[in-house]
């Protein structure tokens, strides 16, 4: 009889404890906690026993990597043009005993970006048929470049500004070119005189280093798991495609090539096919993350 009671006791008290432990093990958090259109986000899932963790948010694949602490992290974000309002982050935690689905409802808040007007050479607003061919070929090239990112994070610690020059608050600005073409500015412009040293913001592999129509001399670095940084309008390229670069390594010199009004560095951050605010990435504390 006594043995029977003990068994009942164990049954009723172990089940709830296991359940609570599972819930605790899979808490999702986002940093920054207030999510703004165009912002990078560090997504963390506490799941020490998981074999892998994957997710989906606003049609983008979210790839997690394991920290030694047992937390799974993903450096993700919300595109500058993402719709404001509720969104759902779906996370699947795979363990030895099976998989568990987690859903996180995330409100996306509006960012207040400015509008501006610019004047550039007419060929950048109304390209001719030959130039259109060149532009279309480059669209396909960029699709190939962005189709495959490294399957592990290649970055380590914080991202650093590519030039010592001041960053403008130009990200997300709605722009009119020559009073005609409207587009959203998907990077940050740094005031950098021609010849300023442009450095790798973090470690990664150079997946594009060549002259393009709008971007001018352009370098794209793959930092892994869908995260890229892009440097445009350079006067000189000092790295080659396929080269592994370290944080702070010289990539080239700033300039005024491509669609520009004058010398500057256009620096962009892309995750999956979303463009994120580079200044916000530079402010993120990632030293303890990877
Ligand atoms: Zn720009």
């Amino acid at each position: 009889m006594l043995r029977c009671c003990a068994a009942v006791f164990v049954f009723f008290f172990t089940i709830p404890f296991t359940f609570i432990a599972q819930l605790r093990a899979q808490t999702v958090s986002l940093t920054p906690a207030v999510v703004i259109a165009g912002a990078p986000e560090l997504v963390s899932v506490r799941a020490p026993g998981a074999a892998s963790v994957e997710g989906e948010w606003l049609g983008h694949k979210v790839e997690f990597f394991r920290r030694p602490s047992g937390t799974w992290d993903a450096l993700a974000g919300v595109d500058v043009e993402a719709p404001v309002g509720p969104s759902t982050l779906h996370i699947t935690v795979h363990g030895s005993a099976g998989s568990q689905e987690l859903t996180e409802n995330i409100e996306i808040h509006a960012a207040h970006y400015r509008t501006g007007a610019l004047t550039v050479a007419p060929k950048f607003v109304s390209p001719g048929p030959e130039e259109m061919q060149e532009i279309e070929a480059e669209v396909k090239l960029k699709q190939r470049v962005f189709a495959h990112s490294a399957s592990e994070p290649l970055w380590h610690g914080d991202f650093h500004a590519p030039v010592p020059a001041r960053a403008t608050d130009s990200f997300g600005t709605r722009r009119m070119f020559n009073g005609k073409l409207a587009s959203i500015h998907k990077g940050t412009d740094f005031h950098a005189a021609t010849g300023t040293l442009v450095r790798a913001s973090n470690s990664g592999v150079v997946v594009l280093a060549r002259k393009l129509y709008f971007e001018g001399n352009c370098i794209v670095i793959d930092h892994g798991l869908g995260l890229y940084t892009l440097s445009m309008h350079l006067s000189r390229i000092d790295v080659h495609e396929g080269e592994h670069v370290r944080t702070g390594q010289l990539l080239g010199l700033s300039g005024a090539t491509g669609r520009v009004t004058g010398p500057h560095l256009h620096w962009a951050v892309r995750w999956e096919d979303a463009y994120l605010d580079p200044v916000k990435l530079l402010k993120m504390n990632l030293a303890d993350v990877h």
Side-chain angles (χ1 to χ4, degrees):
M1 189 64 194
L2 185 67
R3 189 177 287 176
C4 176
C5 283
V8 168
F9 181 88
V10 168
F11 175 78
F12 276 106
F13 283 88
T14 53
I15 296 298
F17 274 125
T18 310
F19 186 56
I20 290 165
Q22 271 184 1
L23 279 181
R24 270 216 203 113
Q26 297 175 347
T27 312
V28 180
S29 69
L30 272 79
T31 311
V34 176
V35 179
I36 298 169
E41 288 289 331
L42 185 70
V43 185
S44 297
V45 181
R46 269 198 51 77
S52 67
V53 178
E54 59 188 16
E56 183 275 326
W57 188 20
L58 295 164
H60 296 126
K61 187 171 63 168
V62 183
E63 294 180 278
F64 290 84
F65 58 92
R66 192 181 190 281
R67 288 169 64 172
S69 61
T71 299
W72 292 76
D73 280 347
L75 196 46
V78 183
D79 187 71
V80 58
E81 294 185 89
V84 167
S87 71
T88 308
L89 169 61
H90 298 275
I91 295 171
T92 309
V93 178
H94 300 284
S96 52
S99 300
Q100 189 163 0
E101 304 287 331
L102 303 167
T103 54
E104 192 77 9
N105 295 316
I106 298 164
E107 186 73 14
I108 297 169
H109 299 268
H112 300 287
Y113 298 121
R114 296 175 297 117
T115 55
L118 295 171
T119 304
V120 294
K123 68 170 187 170
F124 292 116
V125 178
S126 312
E130 254 179 54
E131 290 150 339
M132 280 308 294
Q133 272 191 342
E134 195 182 329
I135 292 164
E136 282 161 20
E138 290 176 2
V139 166
K140 290 197 179 105
L141 168 72
K142 284 180 272 185
Q143 281 171 350
R144 285 200 302 275
V145 162
F146 291 123
H148 304 286
S149 182
S151 58
E152 55 179 2
L154 302 178
W155 55 273
H156 294 280
D158 293 345
F159 281 73
H160 297 273
V163 286
R166 188 169 60 85
T168 63
D169 65 342
S170 53
F171 179 78
T173 306
R174 272 147 230 278
R175 283 176 164 178
M176 293 288 288
F177 283 98
N178 300 7
K180 259 185 165 182
L181 179 77
S183 76
I184 291 180
H185 188 243
K186 294 184 174 182
T188 292
D189 291 338
F190 286 81
H191 291 294
T194 296
T196 304
L197 306 182
V198 178
R199 298 185 181 280
S201 61
N202 211 316
S203 46
V205 60
V206 177
V207 289
L208 185 144
R210 61 177 77 184
K211 186 165 188 170
L212 301 174
Y213 191 78
F214 291 114
E215 296 87 345
N217 288 319
C218 179
I219 297 173
V220 179
I221 297 177
D222 176 17
H223 299 287
L225 303 184
L227 186 72
Y228 301 86
T229 52
L230 299 80
S231 300
M232 300 182 190
H233 314 311
L234 304 174
S235 59
R236 200 180 81 189
I237 292 175
D238 288 334
V239 287
H240 57 83
E241 291 172 4
E243 185 173 343
H244 287 259
V245 292
R246 306 174 312 277
T247 307
Q249 186 173 330
L250 182 65
L251 300 178
L253 303 180
S254 71
T257 55
R259 186 177 66 186
V260 293
T261 55
H264 71 281
L265 173 68
H266 175 106
W267 193 61
V269 173
R270 180 178 161 126
W271 170 70
E272 295 293 317
D273 60 357
Y275 280 91
L276 311 179
D277 185 346
V279 173
K280 288 195 172 74
L281 180 68
L282 295 175
K283 286 180 181 163
M284 287 181 98
N285 182 7
L286 299 169
D288 300 329
V289 176
H290 177 70

